[in-house]
Amino acid sequence: MSKNHILIIGAGLVGAATAYALVQRGFAVTLVDRGATPAVGASHANGGMLTPSMADPWNAPGVWRDLLRWVGREDAPMLLRLSALPGLTAWGAAFLANSRQTAYTRATRHNVELGLFSLRVMAEWRERMRPQYAASRCGTLKIYRSEAAWYAGIAKAASFAVMGVRYDPWDCEKLVQNQPSLAPIASRLAGAVHFPDDESGDAAQFTRALVDGAADRGAQLLFGRAVQRLWVEGGKVRGAILDDGQRLDADAAVLAAGAETPSLARSAGVKVAVAPVKGYSLTYAADGIALPTLPLVDDALHAALTPLGSRLRVAGTAEFSGFDARIVPARIANLKHLLRQILPEQADALDARDPVAWAGFRPMHARGVPCIGQTDCPGLYLNCGHGHLGWTEAAGSGEALARLMAGENSDFDLRPFAPD
Ligand SMILES: Cc1cc2nc3c(=O)[nH]c(=O)nc-3n(C[C@H](O)[C@H](O)[C@H](O)COP(=O)(O)OP(=O)(O)OC[C@H]3O[C@@H](n4cnc5c(N)ncnc54)[C@H](O)[C@@H]3O)c2cc1C
């Protein structure tokens, strides 16, 4: 398409990355979000990890057994609230249908490719923008509590290595040498796997840097303005209509509204199989407390601990509960319990510092990979549905969509991500 005016709806990681990539190419961009600032949605306080090493979708073969087993259990890593079921029927059926081995293997490969591409794009953008976002490029570490789980973890890492994800198995001696703060639980661990190319950082700070970068190159920012629906005329998207009735006209629109994307897409007759999967995090002020120096995933507890400068973020759990944004105390207690099982000697000191609790909605596409590209409705593009991998895949998704819209040749194949 010619380099006209593009309206981007949603200033989370994905919308901000798309805006940044488009302004680099000379597009006129308007970025609109109902929040007062960027990153008020899922990108606000996520786990902070950029992990091609964890690119497998959550609808793994047999996921339905786990979901049934965990119904109603507040300590479950994946909790299905029965009250959410009526709103999940079509999406749930597609989510389960995509848990077949072939679909799962294919989706894993596409996510790994997008994650690795995204890290390459991040490296270029870092050079250009020099953003401050508590970045670390020392990799991530998965720890295992039984030998069987550790061997299975190594086998899974080996299957990812074929796709370009490097890994290094660590026994407990090497683990404690590298991460002395884990010494108190070493006797309960079987080993770990280090993924040296993974990264981490504060997603909200990076989103703000992208938005500033886009604004510096002329993007128009509209915060605190909610889009009510897309404006379709003559079978083509002409822009959007805001809650107060104002029309924003554009030559094309990119929907990057996270978990809210399906309802906005529907206003142009486009169906998107994205549902909200709620997750929680706790952010602790941790200066002066001995912490792991790497982001750490406890495979058995389904918890992630990420050092972010002088803070520690504990994130995890998935809840299928529709758009219920309440912070359920039992889920927070669960996260605190998980922290205590990983850092028993630091947990009291951390708790005394009154962590900030947060919940957000992962925009999860039923097929396990995000939706990036042009829809059947002329003038409407999607960049959404990144699920648990939105930080890992945001830069690559923005860059790849911008290349597509600019009609550039790209070494990254977007076809597997095309809107259905
Ligand atoms: C607990 C938790 C931990 C996570 N950890 C990780 C991790 O470690 N690594 C990783 O890669 N990913 C992680 N994720 C996933 C990642 O955070 C998301 O995939 C990513 O933030 C999605 O970004 P987005 O821009 O698509 O959506 P969002 O960040 O939700 O942005 C959508 C934006 O659209 C705006 N919007 C919606 N509707 C409208 C409207 N009608 N009008 C105007 N604006 C609108 C919203 O205000 C919002 O700002 C985690 C998620 C959670 C919840």
Side-chain angles (χ1 to χ4, degrees), residues 9-15 32-35 39-51 225-228 256-260 264 277-281 315-317 358 360-363 383-393:
I9 302 170
L13 277 164
V14 173
V32 61
D33 198 291
R34 65 185 175 191
V40 296
S43 309
H44 187 68
N46 69 15
M49 292 184 295
L50 296 118
T51 48
R225 310 296 299 275
V227 172
Q228 187 203 70
E260 310 276 353
L264 290 170
V277 180
K278 189 173 173 183
Y280 289 86
S281 74
T317 78
W358 171 83
F361 299 114
R362 300 175 184 90
N383 202 349
C384 64
H386 295 71
H388 67 297
L389 293 167
W391 186 198
T392 307
E393 297 179 337

Side-chain angles (χ1 to χ4, degrees), residues 80-370:
L80 174 62
R81 291 206 188 274
L82 293 179
S83 55
L85 268 182
L88 279 177
T89 42
W91 181 87
F95 183 74
L96 293 181
N98 278 291
S99 68
R100 293 183 324 272
Q101 186 65 50
T102 42
Y104 172 77
T105 307
R106 197 173 44 232
T108 301
R109 181 163 46 83
H110 295 321
N111 278 328
V112 169
E113 285 163 1
L114 180 54
L116 292 174
F117 172 65
S118 208
L119 292 190
R120 293 199 294 276
V121 174
M122 287 277 290
E124 283 171 27
W125 289 4
R126 251 195 320 266
E127 278 295 300
R128 216 180 286 155
M129 285 194 296
R130 310 248 163 226
Q132 298 296 314
Y133 64 105
S136 159
R137 291 162 64 206
C138 305
T140 60
L141 195 62
K142 264 194 180 183
I143 57 173
Y144 297 90
R145 291 181 183 256
S146 75
E147 289 231 314
W150 185 34
Y151 294 146
I154 295 171
K156 186 170 171 183
S159 73
F160 274 57
V162 179
M163 299 179 266
V165 178
R166 293 190 305 145
Y167 74 102
D168 189 14
W170 287 2
D171 61 18
C172 281
E173 200 184 318
K174 183 159 182 190
L175 178 63
V176 172
Q177 245 170 34
N178 273 275
Q179 298 298 318
S181 62
L182 295 181
I185 61 162
S187 62
R188 274 171 264 157
L189 298 179
V193 178
H194 180 225
F195 297 95
D197 300 326
D198 284 350
E199 299 181 9
S200 61
D202 186 314
Q205 286 175 3
F206 193 79
T207 308
R208 287 193 284 271
L210 286 171
V211 171
D212 290 346
D216 287 347
R217 288 163 183 77
Q220 189 195 356
L221 309 179
L222 291 176
F223 285 102
R225 310 296 299 275
V227 172
Q228 187 203 70
R229 63 186 166 87
L230 292 164
W231 167 18
V232 186
E233 214 174 84
K236 181 183 183 309
V237 167
R238 303 276 168 193
I241 298 176
L242 299 180
D243 262 0
D244 59 8
Q246 188 191 336
R247 284 174 184 228
L248 298 177
D249 67 331
D251 298 298
V254 177
L255 260 182
E260 310 276 353
T261 300
S263 57
L264 290 170
R266 218 174 298 129
S267 64
V270 171
K271 282 190 189 159
V272 187
V274 167
V277 180
K278 189 173 173 183
Y280 289 86
S281 74
L282 287 170
T283 305
Y284 294 86
D287 38 305
I289 296 178
L291 294 178
T293 55
L294 293 176
L296 205 120
V297 175
D298 189 321
D299 207 50
L301 303 180
H302 298 271
L305 265 63
T306 305
L308 293 169
S310 60
R311 297 167 299 151
L312 176 71
R313 179 153 304 149
V314 184
T317 78
E319 198 177 310
F320 296 86
S321 55
F323 281 102
D324 179 353
R326 278 173 299 178
I327 295 187
V328 177
R331 300 299 273 174
I332 294 298
N334 186 34
L335 275 189
K336 289 188 176 180
H337 177 67
L338 299 179
L339 169 69
R340 195 165 288 275
Q341 284 179 272
I342 300 169
L343 296 176
E345 295 190 351
Q346 293 88 332
D348 283 338
L350 286 166
D351 261 345
R353 298 197 179 174
D354 229 3
V356 179
W358 171 83
F361 299 114
R362 300 175 184 90
M364 187 81 69
H365 199 287
R367 66 185 179 187
V369 294

Side-chain angles (χ1 to χ4, degrees), residues 1-9 15 18-32 214-221 238-239 248-254 381 402 405-406:
M1 68 183 301
S2 58
K3 292 187 176 167
N4 292 334
H5 180 199
I6 313 295
L7 175 67
I8 300 175
I9 302 170
T18 310
Y20 184 74
L22 282 172
V23 291
Q24 302 293 333
R25 291 172 166 79
F27 283 93
V29 165
T30 298
L31 180 62
V32 61
D216 287 347
R217 288 163 183 77
Q220 189 195 356
L221 309 179
R238 303 276 168 193
L248 298 177
D249 67 331
D251 298 298
V254 177
Y381 293 78
M405 294 175 78

